[in-house]
Amino acid sequence: MFTDALFWLIAIPAVLITGISKSGFAGGVGGLTVPLLALTISPTTAVAIMLPLLIYMDFLSVRSWWGQHNPHHLRILLPAAIAGIIIGYLLFERLNEDYLRAILGCVSLGFGLYGLILGDKTQATPSSLVGRLCGLIAGFTSFVAHAGGPPLNAYLLPLRLAKSEFLATAVVFFAVVNVVKLIPYSLLGQITQENIIVSLLLAPLAWLGVKLGLFIQHKISDRLFKRIILILMVLVGVRLLWTAF
């Protein structure tokens, strides 16, 4: 990785996009990062490199949004998400890299199409059962691809929470989920010295992405930026599926 120019060429904008998403701008588009990285390195390495960066970005975000989250919805979502993480951990060693690329491709393609076709259209207020199902899926997709945003949004958006409450709840949710993921990632041997060094080298870009997201919120349309990222998710998903099969 250290001498692979293509990896760094993809990793730099990918981490910036994640940071922008973590700022609350065009939320959920950070799911593009791991599928992008998986074009140049193994999916297991991609998720391992991103996890410390996500925890760092969560720390920056939680400080800004703490106290504005909704504890009731977190009590519905988090236990189910942890169950989803456990399912991901139990299945992970049974999946080779082609299977993982296929899963990443389906996640990227599915969420990209979902966002492009349905956008922010919402249905009736979801029940707690729907919340637990969305939490379960978010935990699993977050474990496999750090792509828990779309399932979480599927539950939170119809609730029509105030923007600050919505963002704070999402920030706290992922902060807890990402810290919990440290345990199974460590058990699977994914937290290696090389991966941590790469994460540290990319950390300034994570910080810059968060700050950039806060800045461009008033410069660029959230809808336009999100649409561009969703189109990229579709293209990357197709490419990963082509590679896998």
Side-chain angles (χ1 to χ4, degrees):
M1 282 182 293
F2 293 110
T3 58
D4 187 347
L6 181 58
F7 166 76
W8 294 104
L9 198 62
I10 291 178
I12 289 171
V15 173
L16 282 173
I17 287 170
T18 303
I20 291 170
S21 176
K22 283 289 186 180
S23 74
F25 180 67
V29 300
L32 173 67
T33 307
V34 170
L36 265 178
L37 294 178
L39 294 174
T40 61
I41 58 177
S42 74
T44 55
T45 303
V47 294
I49 288 171
M50 282 306 301
L51 183 58
L53 293 171
L54 290 172
I55 292 173
Y56 172 57
M57 287 184 273
D58 288 333
F59 171 74
L60 295 175
S61 301
V62 166
R63 288 195 307 169
S64 300
W65 294 107
W66 184 258
Q68 301 180 63
H69 56 285
N70 187 304
H72 169 71
H73 295 303
L74 288 175
R75 283 194 293 269
I76 292 173
L77 291 162
L78 282 173
I82 292 171
I85 292 170
I86 293 171
I87 292 172
Y89 167 71
L90 294 175
L91 294 177
F92 200 73
E93 289 189 324
R94 301 184 182 183
L95 303 175
N96 61 33
E97 289 192 2
D98 285 336
Y99 283 137
L100 287 173
R101 282 196 169 90
I103 291 173
L104 288 176
C106 289
V107 169
S108 187
L109 178 61
F111 289 160
L113 290 174
Y114 175 85
L116 288 171
I117 295 171
L118 295 180
D120 293 331
K121 295 177 182 177
T122 58
Q123 304 298 322
T125 302
S127 65
S128 58
L129 179 61
V130 171
R132 292 185 181 94
L133 178 60
C134 289
L136 183 75
I137 296 171
F140 178 78
T141 56
S142 182
F143 179 87
V144 173
H146 301 317
L152 179 67
N153 289 345
Y155 174 69
L156 290 181
L157 284 174
L159 297 173
R160 295 177 175 85
L161 303 173
K163 184 177 181 180
S164 60
E165 186 180 5
F166 171 84
L167 290 174
T169 302
V171 163
V172 174
F173 174 84
F174 284 116
V176 174
V177 164
N178 287 328
V179 169
V180 170
K181 285 189 296 189
L182 275 174
I183 299 171
Y185 276 40
S186 298
L187 292 174
L188 291 169
Q190 292 177 261
I191 309 299
T192 65
Q193 183 178 1
E194 183 182 9
N195 291 341
I196 291 174
I197 292 173
V198 174
S199 299
L200 288 173
L201 291 173
L202 291 169
L205 292 168
W207 176 87
L208 180 61
V210 173
K211 298 300 181 183
L212 188 60
L214 294 171
F215 174 75
I216 66 175
Q217 285 193 48
H218 307 293
K219 306 293 182 181
I220 302 175
S221 164
D222 182 278
R223 178 173 291 185
L224 174 62
F225 182 83
K226 191 171 185 178
R227 191 167 187 84
I228 292 171
I229 299 301
L230 289 171
I231 291 171
L232 285 174
M233 289 186 77
V234 171
L235 295 176
V236 170
V238 170
R239 174 60 180 169
L240 284 170
L241 287 171
W242 177 268
T243 303
F245 295 110

